[in-house]
Amino acid sequence: MTQHHVSTSSPGTARTRPYGTWICMVLAVAATLYLLDWTGTTEPKPFVMLFLPAALGIVGAVLAGRKGLTGWAVASALVGILLVPALMFAMVIIGGP
């Protein structure tokens, strides 16, 4: 008699959900939003904060790449790298030079 194990989830489900990558992408967005002057004090943020979103995007890309999820790796890297330039572009368009 052979026993068969019945799984309720598909075998590729764990591989296709890059939770670490998603967390890094959310943290990259949060770090980018932190760069904005929400209080109006015009106090500059530390210079290293400009690189934090890109670093988080790269970390998320590495996490996705290790699982073999190339699309998520590319998306995470692009999101992280393009967030700060997109924020600067939006500030110029909305607020003027």
Side-chain angles (χ1 to χ4, degrees), residues 9-29:
S9 65
S10 64
T13 301
R15 188 179 90 77
T16 59
R17 293 192 178 158
Y19 295 114
T21 301
W22 294 344
I23 291 169
C24 286
M25 291 171 77
V26 168
L27 288 174
V29 171

Side-chain angles (χ1 to χ4, degrees), residues 46-95:
F47 184 69
V48 72
M49 288 298 297
L50 289 172
F51 301 103
L52 187 58
L56 287 166
I58 298 298
V59 168
V62 169
L63 292 174
R66 290 179 65 185
K67 286 187 171 186
L69 302 171
T70 308
W72 279 110
V74 170
S76 180
L78 286 176
V79 165
I81 292 169
L82 295 178
L83 276 172
V84 172
L87 176 67
M88 291 179 180
F89 179 76
M91 287 172 44
V92 168
I93 295 297
I94 293 169

Side-chain angles (χ1 to χ4, degrees), residues 4-11 13:
H4 295 286
H5 176 67
V6 178
S7 176
T8 57
S9 65
S10 64
T13 301

